[in-house]
């Protein structure tokens, strides 16, 4: 067997796929568009937030040194400070200020006693403090959220709702993120027809619509290139017509059958192939390469195989293009409900439905595992990783599960 034909371990195939792509140039987008994407640059704080020490409670701003005698301790109330107001005077020994949550701490005060631990005299001129507190009690320090000049969020940080809130707090109404990858999708096969033009003796192209949705969900912009017939010329023509994409996905025509022309067409186009076989089931034939600034991934034809390989290789690549620092598929630990067997040699990714039971995630393999039918993917919640060299997994074994992004 030539080195080129060796079956790559999944991890190595993913690492080599990731090495072919990099974060795309940045664009500035509004918050709604930024949600779920990753920051293109380090963002430094322009403002110190909160801008002043402030109260974390409704209560009384006091000098903690005044509270050394046994409670109750009577203090004179000098003013009331509401959120949105600035204190008018300094808190001097024997005095305090009524203060509301979020209001700036007055000078002289170093702690807040919550209202529930006080007794305000009728008229409100004095208060009895019923609890001694130390310095800093219920005070939110200046700069707790952000200090001017510090890196607030690092490049590659995914922008969830709190992160975007932090950026808005800094006055940023748009944020820099890598632009969305443009992804072309080509189906190949003489047996295929379009869903809107069903034909006698043909099967509907299921891969292009499924892959389009997978690309959309991964944050890319899909374009369907149509269906190429099983000739070198037609596959080549379709690929040659696809220009300006960041990623081109093909499905089917990848094996060594007489009518499998995708690899040859990619070579004719000048795509430098990195590898094409992975020690994995489903999805063994998978071709990955690059030409100029476009990456090419030839996915297997079986609808479920193409979705599984999308999860394991394409989605991580799209995440890298989108600038995420964490691109590996997510994993969780679970237990196998059932038993599995296979010969060693290929890592299997078994479609399972996983559910919590008594504090653990139990994964039940779907009864259909044939990759030719989408049924074996419908209702799967996770892929169970059955390691390459393992040959049996027993009921109750600890297993690695990949939560699927394709489900509802
Ligand atoms: P191939 O890799 O070309 O041998 O295709 C493998 C299997 O996947 C065959 O049964 C094909 O009919 C099927 N297949 C290939 N492409 C598609 C597609 N776009 N939609 C549905 N099934 C497909
Ligand atoms: Mg085919």
């Amino acid at each position: 067997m030539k080195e080129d034909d060796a079956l790559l371990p999944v991890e190595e195939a993913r690492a080599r796929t990731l090495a072919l792509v990099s974060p795309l140039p940045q664009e500035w987008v509004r918050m709604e568009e930024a949600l779920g994407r990753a920051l293109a640059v380090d963002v430094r704080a322009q403002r110190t937030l909160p801008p002043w020490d402030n109260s974390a409670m409704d209560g009384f701003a006091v000098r903690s040194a005044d509270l050394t005698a046994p409670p109750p301790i009577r203090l004179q109330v000098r003013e009331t400070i509401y959120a949105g107001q600035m204190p008018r005077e300094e808190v001097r020994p024997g005095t305090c200020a009524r203060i509301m949550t979020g209001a700036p701490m007055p000078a002289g005060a170093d702690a807040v006693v919550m209202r529930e631990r006080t007794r305000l005299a009728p008229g409100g001129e004095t208060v009895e403090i019923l609890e001694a507190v130390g310095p800093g009690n219920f005070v939110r320090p200046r700069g707790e959220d952000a200090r001017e000049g510090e890196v607030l969020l690092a490049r590659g940080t995914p922008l969830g709702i709190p992160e975007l809130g932090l950026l808005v707090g800094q006055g940023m109404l748009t944020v820099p993120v890598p632009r969305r990858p443009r992804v072309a999708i080509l189906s190949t096969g003489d047996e295929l027809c379009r869903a809107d033009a069903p034909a006698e003796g043909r099967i509907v192209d299921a891969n292009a619509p499924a892959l389009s949705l997978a690309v959309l969900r991964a944050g890319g912009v899909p374009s369907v290139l149509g269906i190429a017939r099983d000739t070198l010329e037609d596959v080549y023509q379709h690929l040659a017509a696809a220009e300006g994409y960041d990623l081109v996905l093909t499905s089917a025509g990848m094996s060594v059958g007489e009518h499998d022309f995708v690899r040859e067409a990619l070579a004719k186009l000048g795509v430098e192939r990195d590898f094409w076989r992975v020690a994995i089931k489903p999805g063994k034939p998978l071709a990955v390469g690059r030409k100029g600034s476009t990456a090419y991934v030839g996915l297997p034809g079986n609808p479920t195989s193409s979705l599984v390989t999308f999860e394991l290789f394409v989605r991580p690549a799209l995440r890298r293009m989108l600038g995420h620092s964490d691109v590996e598929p997510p994993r969780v630990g679970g237990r196998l409900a059932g038993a599995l067997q296979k010969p060693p040699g290929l890592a299997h990714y078994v479609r399972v439905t996983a559910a919590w039971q008594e504090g653990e995630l139990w994964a039940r393999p779907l009864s259909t595992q044939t990759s030719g039918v989408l049924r074996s993917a419908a209702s799967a919640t996770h892929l169970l990783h059955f390691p390459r060299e393992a040959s049996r997994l027993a009921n109750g074994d600890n297993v690695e599960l990949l939560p699927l992004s394709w489900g509802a």
Side-chain angles (χ1 to χ4, degrees), residues 344-365:
L346 299 178
H348 284 207
Y349 284 84
V350 180
R351 277 80 74 201
V352 299
T353 48
W356 282 96
Q357 218 179 317
E358 284 160 23
E360 287 184 295
L361 191 57
W362 285 87
R364 190 172 299 282

Side-chain angles (χ1 to χ4, degrees), residues 10-357:
V10 173
E11 294 69 26
E12 189 184 338
R14 179 156 56 239
R16 283 168 65 166
T17 307
L18 288 170
L20 294 180
V21 300
S22 35
L24 296 170
Q26 72 179 45
E27 60 182 3
W28 288 78
V29 299
R30 293 159 53 88
M31 296 293 148
E32 310 83 280
E33 254 291 293
L35 188 61
R37 291 166 76 176
L39 266 183
V41 296
D42 287 349
V43 171
R44 286 178 188 279
Q46 308 284 316
R47 307 173 177 170
T48 295
L49 278 182
W52 7 254
D53 290 353
N54 68 97
S55 178
M57 281 284 164
D58 290 346
F60 293 84
V62 300
R63 304 171 68 100
S64 59
D66 277 353
L67 307 183
T68 48
I73 299 151
R74 186 181 300 266
L75 297 174
Q76 198 195 352
V77 182
R78 300 287 304 176
E79 64 171 322
T80 300
I81 313 160
Y82 292 94
Q85 289 181 351
M86 294 309 282
R88 282 193 305 273
E89 54 179 282
E90 188 181 331
V91 171
R92 275 189 279 275
T95 74
C96 65
R98 241 179 115 184
I99 194 164
M100 304 302 154
T101 305
M105 288 291 286
D110 66 352
V112 170
V113 179
M114 69 196 285
R115 203 193 47 179
E116 293 85 338
R117 301 276 187 276
T118 65
R119 204 156 45 215
L120 192 60
E125 295 194 346
T126 62
V127 64
E128 282 181 343
I129 305 293
L130 306 178
E131 162 186 80
V133 298
N137 191 63
F138 290 135
V139 176
R140 295 194 290 223
R142 169 177 198 272
E144 194 179 29
D145 232 11
R147 285 182 179 279
E148 188 182 336
E150 75 176 347
V151 173
L152 195 58
L153 294 174
R155 177 166 58 133
T157 303
L159 296 170
I161 293 167
E163 289 78 12
L164 289 169
L166 265 180
L167 297 179
V168 173
Q170 292 293 319
M172 291 178 76
L173 297 180
T174 58
V175 293
V177 294
R179 68 167 172 75
R180 293 187 183 280
R182 292 187 277 264
V183 184
I185 297 164
L186 177 65
S187 299
T188 71
D190 285 342
E191 75 281 31
L192 301 177
C193 62
R194 291 167 43 146
D196 56 3
E200 185 68 29
R202 299 259 169 115
I203 62 168
V204 167
D205 170 13
N207 289 348
L211 291 170
S212 291
L213 293 174
V215 165
L216 262 185
R217 196 165 257 189
V221 183
S223 303
V224 171
L225 300 180
I227 300 168
R229 297 296 152 211
D230 281 327
T231 64
L232 174 60
E233 201 47 34
D234 203 38
V235 177
Y236 172 78
Q237 289 300 341
H238 276 84
L239 288 174
E243 266 179 28
Y245 291 101
D246 303 303
L247 175 65
V248 176
L249 297 178
T250 65
S251 69
M254 277 292 308
S255 305
V256 288
E258 271 172 43
H259 287 184
D260 292 335
F261 292 107
V262 171
R263 284 181 298 128
E264 217 179 318
L266 288 171
K268 184 172 173 188
L269 195 68
V271 174
E272 211 173 306
R273 191 173 78 218
D274 191 61
F275 64 89
W276 80 280
R277 273 155 52 94
V278 184
I280 181 185
K281 186 180 171 182
K284 190 166 71 173
L286 176 85
V288 172
R290 186 178 181 89
K291 181 191 175 193
S293 56
T294 307
Y296 291 79
V297 177
L299 297 169
N302 281 316
T304 295
S305 306
S306 68
L307 282 182
V308 169
T309 43
F310 184 95
E311 284 292 295
L312 296 177
F313 305 102
V314 180
R315 196 161 179 273
L318 291 173
R319 283 177 67 77
R320 166 143 301 162
M321 292 185 203
L322 282 159
H324 286 275
S325 46
D326 182 11
V327 298
E328 290 290 314
R331 278 156 238 240
V332 294
R335 310 277 303 274
L336 174 61
L340 292 170
Q341 285 190 25
K342 69 168 176 63
L346 299 178
H348 284 207
Y349 284 84
V350 180
R351 277 80 74 201
V352 299
T353 48
W356 282 96
Q357 218 179 317

